[in-house]
Amino acid sequence: MYLTGIESRRRRVEAARARANRAEIVKALSQGQISRRDLLRWGLFSAAGLLVCKNGLSPFARSAFADVPTGAPRSPLFGIRKFSRALPRLLVQQPLPLKRTAAGEAAFPEASGYDNAKRLSYHNDFNAYKGPGPNPFRNPITNRGPMEGRPPGEFFAHQRWEEFFPKVGYVFSWGSCVAGTKFHADLPDQDANAVWTFGVGKFSQGTMAPYLIKGRYGEPILTRIYNNTPTDHAANRGFGRNETQLHFHNAHNAAESDGATGAHHFPGTFYDYLWGTALARHDRINVDASDARASGPDGNGGLVKVPGDFREIQGTLWAHDHRFFFTAENVYKGNLMMVNYYSGPDRGNELIADGVNLRLPSGKFLDYGNLDFDVNLVISDGATDLDGQYFFDIFNTDGFLGDLPLVNFAYAPYFEVLPRKYRFRVLNASMSRFYRFMLSASGKPVPITVVASDGNLLVQPVTLSDLDEQGNAERFDIIVDFSKFSVGSRLHLVNRLRMRDDGRGPKEALSLSDAFKGRDDDPLIGAVLEFRVVGSVQSVDAPSQTLTIANSCGAYDKSVVPPLLSQQIPIVTPTRTRVIEFGRSGDGDSRDSRTGECTPNCPETATFPWSVKVNGEDAHTFNANRISMLIPKPGEVEHWTFVNGGGGWDHPIHLHFEEGVTMNRGGASMAPTERQARKDVWRLRPSGSVQIQVQFGEFGGAYVNHCHNTVHEDFAMLMRYQLLAAKGTHAAVTPTPVPTADGVKFLTPEILREGDPRRLSTANRT
Ligand SMILES: [Cu+2]
């Protein structure tokens, strides 16, 4: 359609006004200056909870002539161009050694001044303190409530503390960013409360790029997170909740350390997470730790063998906020980091040839965890307001799509590579956007070899030119061989997946050439990262060393991509099957019908269009005090079918704690990278379904299963499942924590009948 200059300008002005108005409303609401009732009275909010689409109000009203994908005027670029700055590598964190005290506590180095980590939360000490004087275990910032957010009592004590006693520790703070934080050298500095990221130490300020932790099997980690966000929850610059719990997606951790039990904590407090590096099937397979493939690097060329199934080894993981009902706001705002787990087979060293090490591209200077040729790529889509400040729309319940391609939180950077093999750990860290990547050299596709999916090694590498779709939180580990390219060549990682304008899911994959040209209506289509082939780079593993073609390429590229990476976990006859349908069912029942409150509390304006049905029974929306599925004992194999309730949506469904083996998609075709692959996120496809095999063990407690389009997740497309241990405290159902600024209280959860196999007849068996 041809528009006159005047009409075109009128529309742009109106879209800008819409965005400004909406941003004002979002800000006023999140700061408590106006209420849901005000919006209803003004006719701007419907009873169903949607912002009424009026020109000049909602940029998401199509009639507002807004730009896609954000539904608002384009984020300003202030004259910058793509590929004008180098990719920032993730910031590798240094562990602190921990020592066991006579009392069985884990002590940080004395000079650090950090309190010991303990099996039971300091909340117990806070409760037990009888004076005289102020409670020494109180929150040091607010002087209210305990200093540790982990709930009191045995249910939130670290399970198997002695067995997985932490050897190293990290202390981080999450909160306001340091001055000078920006997405590109020539974009504006972010306000301290526009971006909330992690900083090192107690009550430190946050930095970018995201952090990277190098974990290894056999070396349990204690991660302490201080909440250093403002005590005033209105001081969030329009989005972000000053309460957090950190989910270590998808490590095999006990529930109290999974970061998704509803035990979020408040400014001034910390939470200790025990990342025990337990290898799944620890209690059932290789219990005597005799299999060298189930192991971690010892730091000196050898291995520390651990119990468990080597086929369950994990590699590329990440951790992110999981404050129920506010996850999208908080993750988007910067609450995320990556964690690489290193193992005997996946060592991060390409020289050690001991018959166990796969020698995948990585580097050679360090015993394990070399990063010279092993690169984490955190890919997301951001947006800013017209002043260049980070922006998020908390009213969008369908999907938030940004218009700034970010890699490791930097605007469309370039990365210098030598002509040799590299491994890239590609994470989709977007809230709602799916990607489909190809690698392009002068418009021609370059082969990519996939070695892992969601951090799980494939049994055999898969070489293709066209990666499968990648939903939110999905990871692909890919190997790219640049050896055929001469110095000076430029290659591009190209996203060719168009999303539906409403954020519901993917619309179509463009051809490489069409995608490469880019699209005016979505800046995330096209190249997001440029690779520049060069003759030398500085080592990140040994910064005094220069890596060159002469010492790292050709015959000196010692990395290997073996034909066999792991072994297949067989599909067996299950103890039971379950069907879990993700759909839309109306108003939802997250709020208590008597009190109108969510558990834990949710935004006053929250609506619940998204729901989950188990075994064909009633649809529910998330309430942490409701158990949708109960796993009665460890070790039983279950087959679950995730079903998309329809409507043209797609949902990336995430199962916490255990990996599932992908069995089938009903009758539909499967990508070669997902056939029988172990994963923790499955895209359902519009009207699609996927069946997986799961087995639970090692720990008990409350976990969740949910849509990882975090916008759907926050509007309650989430369910609690309860895993019962064979014996001990966790043989019983976990009481539901209700965190408050003065401490944690508990509720007794409801268990849905259809989710409890102890009460089901065999009629349920299919
Ligand atoms: Cu969803």
Side-chain angles (χ1 to χ4, degrees), residues 650-652 707 709 712 717:
D650 201 347
H651 305 287
C707 181
N709 175 335
H712 297 180
M717 199 175 220

Side-chain angles (χ1 to χ4, degrees), residues 398 504 582 610 649-653 707-709 712-713 717:
D398 291 348
R504 287 184 179 197
F582 292 83
W610 303 108
W649 305 91
D650 201 347
H651 305 287
I653 301 303
C707 181
H708 216 298
N709 175 335
H712 297 180
E713 177 182 346
M717 199 175 220

